[in-house]
């Protein structure tokens, strides 16, 4: 297991926000536990993007999983692999707009409700098979 609580505590200095925490497969006590085989979606300001990537690489450097780094122009993914299967993924994307109006929750920051709605709407367009995003939108867009 990885210690997401400590990871999230260590990145509080950065302007970031988590999203899509309210999904059917999320553990009830996240971040104390997490759903194996899934990912953590992190949006970060452009200014802090390189620093949070560097911090993330260092934090997970000595964990017992095979690490795979995938980087594009505005996204970085750290895949933690165990027995040739995904154990967990940290998915970091820069977006100054998405970290505006973030809110603090327990050990971490999360995007605002308005931002979460935009993200979920984009997810429905990108992958219509993920019904839980449509159901979430129905619940929050009454």
């Amino acid at each position: 297991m990885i210690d997401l609580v400590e990871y999230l505590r260590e990145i509080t200095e950065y302007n970031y926000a988590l999203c899509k925490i309210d999904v059917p497969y999320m553990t009830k006590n996240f971040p104390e536990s997490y759903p194996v085989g899934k990912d953590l979606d992190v949006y970060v300001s452009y200014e802090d993007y390189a620093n949070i990537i560097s911090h993330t690489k260092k934090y997970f450097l000595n964990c017992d999983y095979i690490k795979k780094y995938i980087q594009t122009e505005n996204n970085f993914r750290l895949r933690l692999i165990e027995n040739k299967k995904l154990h967990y993924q940290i998915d970091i994307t820069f977006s100054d707009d998405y970290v505006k109006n973030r809110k603090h929750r327990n050990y971490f920051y999360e995007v605002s409700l308005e931002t979460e709605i935009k993200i979920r709407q984009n997810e429905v367009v990108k992958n219509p098979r993920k019904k839980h995003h449509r159901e979430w939108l129905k619940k929050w867009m009454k």
Side-chain angles (χ1 to χ4, degrees), residues 6 11 21 29 31 45 50 53-54 66 69-71 73 77 79 110 112 115 128:
E6 185 58 30
I11 65 171
I21 303 243
N29 64 341
S45 68
I53 289 171
S54 176
I66 295 170
Y69 305 113
I70 303 167
Q71 188 151 11
E73 188 175 321
R77 284 177 275 163
R79 295 177 61 84
E110 64 183 326
S112 67
T115 300

Side-chain angles (χ1 to χ4, degrees), residues 1-18:
M1 294 294 286
I2 56 178
D3 188 348
L4 285 182
V5 172
E6 185 58 30
Y7 170 70
L8 294 171
R9 283 185 176 141
E10 287 189 15
I11 65 171
T12 57
E13 67 187 272
Y14 304 116
N15 188 12
Y16 82 91
L18 307 182

Side-chain angles (χ1 to χ4, degrees), residues 6-134:
E6 185 58 30
Y7 170 70
L8 294 171
R9 283 185 176 141
E10 287 189 15
I11 65 171
T12 57
E13 67 187 272
Y14 304 116
N15 188 12
Y16 82 91
L18 307 182
C19 72
K20 296 186 277 182
I21 303 243
D22 184 10
V23 289
Y25 52 80
M26 185 57 71
T27 58
K28 299 275 187 234
N29 64 341
F30 175 86
E32 288 86 3
S33 68
Y34 54 89
V36 171
K38 300 298 182 181
D39 69 341
L40 178 64
D41 293 300
V42 183
Y43 285 96
V44 64
S45 68
Y46 180 77
E47 181 180 337
D48 287 333
Y49 181 64
N51 290 329
I52 203 167
I53 289 171
S54 176
H55 190 100
T56 301
K57 285 180 177 180
K58 285 179 194 169
Y59 183 82
F60 291 101
L61 183 64
N62 294 319
C63 72
D64 293 334
Y65 301 99
I66 295 170
K67 286 154 261 342
K68 181 175 181 183
Y69 305 113
I70 303 167
Q71 188 151 11
T72 63
E73 188 175 321
N74 69 341
N75 177 266
F76 169 82
R77 284 177 275 163
L78 165 60
R79 295 177 61 84
L80 301 172
I81 312 284
E82 180 179 50
N83 298 324
K84 298 182 181 181
K85 293 183 179 179
L86 177 66
H87 177 78
Y88 204 64
Q89 177 171 287
I90 309 292
D91 192 345
I92 302 170
T93 305
F94 74 76
S95 174
D96 288 328
D97 288 339
Y98 284 3
V99 295
K100 287 180 186 172
N101 303 316
R102 67 185 183 159
K103 55 186 181 176
H104 190 262
R105 179 173 149 189
N106 296 333
Y107 309 107
F108 56 89
Y109 290 94
E110 64 183 326
V111 297
S112 67
L113 178 60
E114 297 79 18
T115 300
E116 185 82 28
I117 288 170
K118 288 179 198 174
I119 291 168
R120 300 288 185 124
Q121 288 170 330
N122 290 339
E123 286 294 319
V124 167
V125 170
K126 192 168 71 175
N127 194 344
R129 292 181 298 129
K130 291 187 176 180
K131 295 177 187 174
H132 61 274
H133 293 307
R134 268 197 313 277

